[in-house]
Amino acid sequence: MSTIPNPSTAAVIRPLRGILLVLCAGMLWGTTGTAQSFSDGALSPYWVGALRLGVAALFFLVYAGSIKGPSHLARQFMDLDWRRAAWAGACMAGYNLTFFAGVKATGVAVGTALAIGSGPIWAGLLQLAGGARPGAGWWAGTLLAVGGGVLLVFGRGGDIQADPPGIALCLASGLTYALYALLNKKLVGHSTPAVATLGVFLVGALLALPAAGFWAGPLQITVSGWLVVGFLGIASTGIAYLLFSTGLRGISAATGVSLALMEPVTAFLLALAVVGERPGVLAYAGLAALLAGLALVIRAETR
């Protein structure tokens, strides 16, 4: 005897899948700082941001080609909404370049807090401007998570520099990331995540690589630098954004950006376990607030 699925159960399962995928993406993003600590430091951060986009684009090309076949991939690639993909790729390139430039100008603590913390707020405001109204539960959870993330970052120490142009760059980084998420949400609604991410990151790499050469000069990279860039491009960019794009099919773009705050949680835990960092009480208080905020966001999305 067949059973009829409960509509309310199905309505909860779909966002839960999306939530899990985005949280996994955030965990992979959180490995970025630890991975870079194994580099010899000779590679400019501008080149790091640009090269990881290039490696990710190659990853998406191989992945999409292997699961779809060259001819099928070519047809879907041509049918992609290239206007939206071009804007999303420009946002991704802008996010990488403004983030690294902002962090360089303001220091790791201020730069990370502003860039990552402003992203969810920008996403909520953009959705509000577009006619979608994130609920009170989402706003409460997001603001709590953002506040916790700020405490977590500052509790880990680091230079604090109030550089106005750097602050503007960090806020621009959060804005471009939020715009990317909203554009990507539309793309994966009409195309597969593999094809959509391939188009977006191809555009992003084509824009970011020349910009890195202009701002940082000729590429100078060692073997260890290539290993780090390879990991960043495949794991913390390629696989992570594939998970993120797939997850966006089941949740709102604003929730996806908020759940990306899993990144500083993972970075914090890796700093404890791998780097041997010993943060203060403020960082642990921030961690608790961030996790509580994410729980509220998840509750709001599933309801």
Side-chain angles (χ1 to χ4, degrees), residues 11-269:
V12 172
I13 290 176
R14 185 175 181 182
L16 281 177
R17 179 176 179 271
I19 287 166
L20 180 60
L21 290 173
V22 173
L23 288 175
C24 288
M27 292 174 67
L28 285 172
W29 289 327
T31 65
T32 300
T34 302
Q36 286 186 275
S37 69
F38 291 99
S39 176
D40 56 12
L43 185 61
S44 164
Y46 295 105
W47 275 115
V48 173
L51 287 173
R52 72 175 187 170
L53 290 182
V55 173
L58 291 175
F59 165 80
F60 291 128
L61 178 62
V62 173
Y63 174 79
S66 65
I67 63 174
K68 295 182 176 300
S71 59
H72 190 200
L73 173 61
R75 286 196 300 271
Q76 287 202 339
F77 199 63
M78 294 300 293
D79 292 337
L80 186 64
D81 182 353
W82 277 104
R83 181 174 176 272
R84 186 171 279 126
W87 279 110
C91 288
M92 181 52 60
Y95 163 70
N96 276 268
L97 295 174
T98 54
F99 174 78
F100 286 111
V103 168
K104 184 178 180 180
T106 61
V108 174
V110 173
T112 304
L114 286 174
I116 296 178
S118 66
I121 297 174
W122 282 123
L125 293 174
L126 288 170
Q127 280 206 178
L128 190 62
R133 296 181 179 273
W138 181 90
W139 278 109
T142 295
L143 293 176
L144 180 59
V146 168
V150 171
L151 291 178
L152 177 60
V153 170
F154 282 108
R156 294 176 60 187
D159 296 332
I160 299 178
Q161 305 172 36
D163 180 77
I167 291 173
L169 284 169
C170 292
L171 293 175
S173 176
L175 175 60
T176 52
Y177 183 76
L179 284 168
Y180 156 77
L182 267 68
L183 289 166
N184 199 38
K185 169 74 175 177
K186 296 289 187 181
L187 281 172
V188 297
H190 299 89
S191 181
T192 63
V195 174
T197 48
L198 171 59
V200 169
F201 278 80
L202 182 61
V203 172
L206 291 175
L207 293 174
L209 288 168
F214 177 77
W215 281 327
L219 175 62
Q220 297 179 353
I221 186 170
T222 62
V223 174
S224 65
W226 276 118
L227 291 175
V228 170
V229 166
F231 174 82
L232 294 177
I234 295 173
S236 63
T237 304
I239 297 175
Y241 277 97
L242 186 61
L243 293 172
F244 180 74
S245 297
T246 306
L248 282 181
R249 286 183 149 187
I251 60 177
S252 70
T255 293
V257 178
S258 294
L259 295 180
L261 289 168
M262 191 67 185
E263 175 181 354
V265 174
T266 305
F268 176 74
L269 296 177

